[in-house]
């Protein structure tokens, strides 16, 4: 056995686990919570999702929207979630301060209730999982860094398991050896499914996710087809990952009065533009285009913007997800309702298709309950791996000492360098942090010699 390589992996494995364990536990437990968000919300918010208003008068969807705006002064509608029965329709409303509400309309388009979007179960779990409910670039990078180092932990763990013959049966095994064996055994079993879960979550990450998306956009043959148009509204969460930043086509603006003599309406409440096609009329156009429920409608943000109608496999909205094959983003002229462009799953490149399947697999709803149960088992097993790892350390820790794995005076092997370079290329943020670790190791070695 290459003792130098083994000790270096062991040492880095130990320190990485020590520093990121709190983050890994937070990400894993919040991930488990998000696995079941639809089941939780269907029960906790059943009055909003399935209930009826005390009013039975039939309103049009536009009258329901007008009533919602009247009752929520200062808020405008940006999105409409149209779901299959028995779900109610959901409006997303926001104000200039960035606050967001969900307003639910029943089958008569009467208001059933209002939610603070920030504190719904799904959004709390998502925000904890992706940004520790704090947000900001540093925190987002920290979460991504934890995911990258988790991959390092899994790979080095498998290496040490087989190189150190940890699974070999021992007579009269000590408590430490038993803990180490369980840590290694369960960790090895879940390595591949855990890698799949981590890698399929990276498209939503801050650094690597943006890199993946740019690559997907710049290379249509492997990513997303381009639509040569004005800035889109496709960064909304209900729009599929594969097209959420696509440039959407512009409306033709056949109505000469709609231009308001060239006035720039960017940033204004376009839902109040009297020249726009009404939502009721748009929904008729959507029906004529054979686009079935569920789907989301995103208002245009500018005077020459478009209505964006989307079906996605990874929305994070209860009742809205569809099969990857049914993913679709369509753009309707918001003055005359003409279907300008439509992008579907078959138009995606291989990279976009991969993540169209990967993200719902990560979220646990690609193939129903079995997907949830498999993800749950893997996540719980990962928690136990962490638990047995801590027990292994504590069982060998000497009183009053840190008991870190021994340092190695041997030079770095070619194999170690190749592995680290490959991981650094695949995960750039990991590579950057790796340089800091190497500098720290060099500093500690110099300090010991002094």
């Amino acid at each position: 056995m290459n003792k130098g390589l083994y000790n270096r992996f062991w040492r880095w494995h130990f320190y990485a686990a020590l520093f990121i364990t709190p983050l890994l536990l937070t990400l894993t437990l919040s991930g488990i919570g998000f696995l079941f968000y639809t089941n939780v919300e269907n029960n906790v918010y059943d009055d909003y999702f399935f209930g009826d208003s005390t009013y039975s008068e039939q309103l049009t969807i536009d009258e329901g929207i007008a009533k919602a705006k009247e009752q929520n002064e200062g808020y405008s509608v940006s999105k409409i979630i149209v779901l299959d029965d028995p779900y109610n329709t959901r409006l997303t409303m926001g104000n200039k301060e960035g606050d967001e509400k969900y307003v639910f309309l029943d089958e008569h388009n009467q208001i059933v209730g209002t939610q603070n979007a920030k504190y719904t179960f799904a959004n709390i779990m998502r925000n904890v999982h992706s940004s520790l409910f704090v947000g900001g670039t540093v925190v987002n990078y920290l979460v991504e860094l934890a995911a990258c180092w988790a991959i390092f932990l899994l790979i080095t763990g498998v290496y040490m398991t087989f190189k150190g013959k940890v699974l070999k049966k021992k007579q009269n095994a000590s408590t430490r050896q038993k803990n180490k064996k369980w840590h290694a055994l369960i960790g090895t079993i879940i390595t591949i499914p855990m890698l799949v879960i981590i890698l399929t979550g990276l498209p939503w990450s801050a650094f690597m996710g943006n890199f993946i998306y740019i690559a997907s956009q710049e290379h249509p043959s492997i990513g997303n087809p381009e639509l040569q148009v004005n800035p889109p509204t496709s960064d909304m969460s209900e729009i599929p990952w594969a097209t959420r930043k696509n440039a959407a086509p512009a409306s033709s603006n056949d109505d000469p009065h709609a231009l308001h003599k060239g006035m720039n309406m960017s940033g204004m409440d376009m839902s109040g533009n009297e020249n726009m096609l009404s939502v009721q009329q748009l929904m008729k156009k959507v029906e004529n285009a054979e686009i079935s429920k569920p789907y989301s409608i995103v208002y245009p943000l500018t005077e020459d913007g478009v209505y964006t109608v989307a079906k996605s496999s990874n929305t994070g909205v209860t009742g809205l997800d569809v099969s990857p094959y049914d993913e679709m983003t369509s753009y309707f002229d918001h003055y005359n309702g003409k279907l300008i462009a439509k992008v579907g799953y078959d138009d995606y490149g291989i990279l976009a298709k991969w993540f169209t399947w990967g993200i719902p697999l990560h979220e646990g709803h690609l193939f129903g309950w079995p997907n949830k149960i498999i993800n749950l088992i893997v996540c719980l097993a990962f928690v136990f791996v962490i638990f047995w790892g801590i027990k292994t350390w504590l069982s060998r820790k000497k009183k009053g000492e840190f008991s870190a794995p021994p340092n190695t005076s041997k030079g770095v092997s070619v194999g170690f360098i190749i592995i680290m370079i490959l991981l650094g290329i695949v995960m750039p943020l990991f590579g950057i942090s790796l340089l800091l670790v190497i500098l720290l190791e060099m500093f500690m070695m110099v300090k010991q010699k002094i």
Side-chain angles (χ1 to χ4, degrees):
M1 180 176 69
N2 186 338
K3 196 67 177 177
L5 180 59
Y6 183 92
N7 282 352
R8 182 165 279 108
F9 271 157
W10 183 19
R11 187 175 177 83
W12 286 19
H13 185 95
F14 170 80
Y15 279 117
L18 191 68
F19 287 113
I20 69 171
T21 286
L23 270 175
L24 290 181
L25 287 173
T26 302
L27 294 176
T28 304
L29 294 176
S30 59
I32 290 174
F34 194 77
L35 276 177
F36 298 96
Y37 80 88
T38 54
N39 310 95
V40 172
E41 292 197 333
N42 278 333
N43 288 282
V44 175
Y45 307 140
D46 61 327
D47 288 343
Y48 293 124
F49 287 178
F50 313 111
D52 294 318
S53 166
T54 54
Y55 300 96
S56 58
E57 178 189 359
Q58 183 67 51
L59 302 178
T60 66
I61 181 70
D62 297 281
E63 289 171 336
I65 291 171
K67 196 171 181 181
K69 290 171 66 177
E70 182 183 334
Q71 291 188 13
N72 296 276
E73 188 176 351
Y75 284 78
S76 60
V77 178
S78 59
K79 288 173 282 186
I80 304 167
I81 310 298
V82 184
L83 303 173
D84 276 324
D85 293 335
Y87 282 101
N88 288 327
T89 298
R90 192 184 89 174
L91 310 179
T92 299
M93 305 186 71
N95 62 14
K96 293 179 180 179
E97 287 71 42
D99 300 318
E100 204 170 60
K101 292 181 179 181
Y102 297 146
V103 178
F104 295 86
L105 306 180
D106 65 13
E107 60 181 346
H108 300 112
N109 293 313
Q110 296 281 2
I111 297 174
V112 176
T114 303
Q115 287 181 314
N116 184 330
K118 185 176 181 179
Y119 297 109
T120 64
F121 181 81
N123 286 344
I124 289 173
M125 289 296 105
R126 182 191 292 109
N127 290 335
V128 171
H129 190 69
S130 62
S131 59
L132 308 183
F133 211 70
V134 176
T137 303
V138 174
V139 174
N140 291 337
Y141 280 7
L142 190 62
V143 169
E144 182 176 347
L145 200 57
C148 293
W149 276 96
I151 292 174
F152 174 82
L153 289 176
L154 291 166
I155 293 173
T156 54
V158 170
Y159 173 87
M160 291 187 294
T161 295
F162 290 101
K163 282 295 182 179
K165 300 179 181 179
V166 179
L167 302 181
K168 187 177 180 180
K169 190 173 182 181
K170 296 180 178 67
Q171 294 293 333
N172 302 318
S174 65
T175 301
R176 178 198 166 194
Q177 288 172 329
K178 289 178 181 177
N179 288 329
K180 188 177 181 181
K181 184 175 181 178
W182 278 111
H183 177 71
L185 177 62
I186 304 300
T188 301
I189 291 172
I190 68 166
T191 289
I192 292 178
M194 198 68 205
L195 286 174
V196 171
I197 288 177
I198 294 171
L199 291 173
T200 52
L202 286 177
W204 290 124
S205 62
F207 189 89
M208 192 170 174
N210 192 53
F211 175 80
I212 292 170
Y213 196 83
I214 290 173
S216 177
Q217 291 296 93
E218 291 181 350
H219 303 282
S221 60
I222 63 168
N224 311 321
E226 294 184 20
L227 295 174
Q228 300 299 329
V229 285
N230 289 322
T233 54
S234 55
D235 59 345
M236 303 296 183
S237 60
E238 285 76 15
I239 292 175
W241 178 88
T243 58
R244 76 180 190 273
K245 293 182 182 177
N246 275 10
S251 294
S252 61
N253 191 14
D254 294 331
D255 183 350
H257 302 291
L259 281 175
H260 296 286
K261 298 181 181 180
M263 178 181 176
N264 181 10
M265 296 179 63
S266 179
M268 297 181 65
D269 177 12
M270 293 300 293
S271 64
N273 183 356
E274 62 182 17
N275 298 294
M276 285 176 63
L277 193 74
S278 72
V279 175
Q280 191 79 34
Q281 292 170 317
L282 173 67
M283 291 175 69
K284 185 63 178 177
K285 298 286 185 180
V286 171
E287 184 181 338
N288 292 341
E290 298 182 344
I291 298 173
S292 60
K293 300 178 184 178
Y295 56 81
S296 63
I297 299 172
V298 181
Y299 278 96
L301 293 181
T302 60
E303 188 175 64
D304 60 351
V306 294
Y307 274 121
T308 304
V309 178
K311 297 166 72 74
S312 174
S313 67
N314 45 75
T315 66
V317 176
T318 299
L320 189 58
D321 294 324
V322 298
S323 163
Y325 290 122
D326 295 330
E327 269 213 1
M328 174 278 308
T329 305
S330 56
Y331 305 99
F332 289 82
D333 187 302
H334 82 254
Y335 295 107
N336 58 33
K338 179 182 177 181
L339 176 59
I340 302 171
K342 186 175 181 180
V343 177
Y345 175 81
D346 291 337
D347 300 309
Y348 296 171
I350 188 170
L351 188 62
K353 285 181 177 178
W354 167 256
F355 287 114
T356 298
W357 285 88
I359 294 172
L361 177 68
H362 177 90
E363 294 178 344
H365 57 80
L366 180 60
F367 48 91
W369 271 99
N371 194 169
K372 291 181 188 290
I373 298 303
I374 290 171
N375 285 23
L376 174 63
I377 291 172
V378 173
C379 288
L380 289 176
F382 191 57
V383 172
F384 281 116
V385 168
I386 294 172
F387 169 74
W388 275 308
I390 294 172
K391 284 196 69 177
T392 301
W393 171 50
L394 293 177
S395 62
R396 70 176 176 79
K397 185 180 180 298
K398 296 178 181 178
K399 190 174 181 180
E401 295 183 16
F402 197 55
S403 299
N407 202 348
T408 177
S409 58
K410 293 185 178 182
V412 180
S413 67
V414 175
F416 179 82
I417 293 173
I418 291 174
I419 292 171
M420 293 298 102
I421 289 176
L422 288 175
L423 289 176
I425 292 173
V426 173
M427 300 178 292
L429 203 60
F430 172 81
I432 295 170
S433 67
L434 197 60
L435 294 175
L436 297 176
V437 172
I438 292 171
L439 290 174
L440 183 62
E441 278 278 275
M442 291 172 64
F443 172 77
M444 292 176 68
M445 287 176 67
V446 171
K447 189 177 179 181
Q448 285 177 354
K449 288 180 180 180
I450 295 174

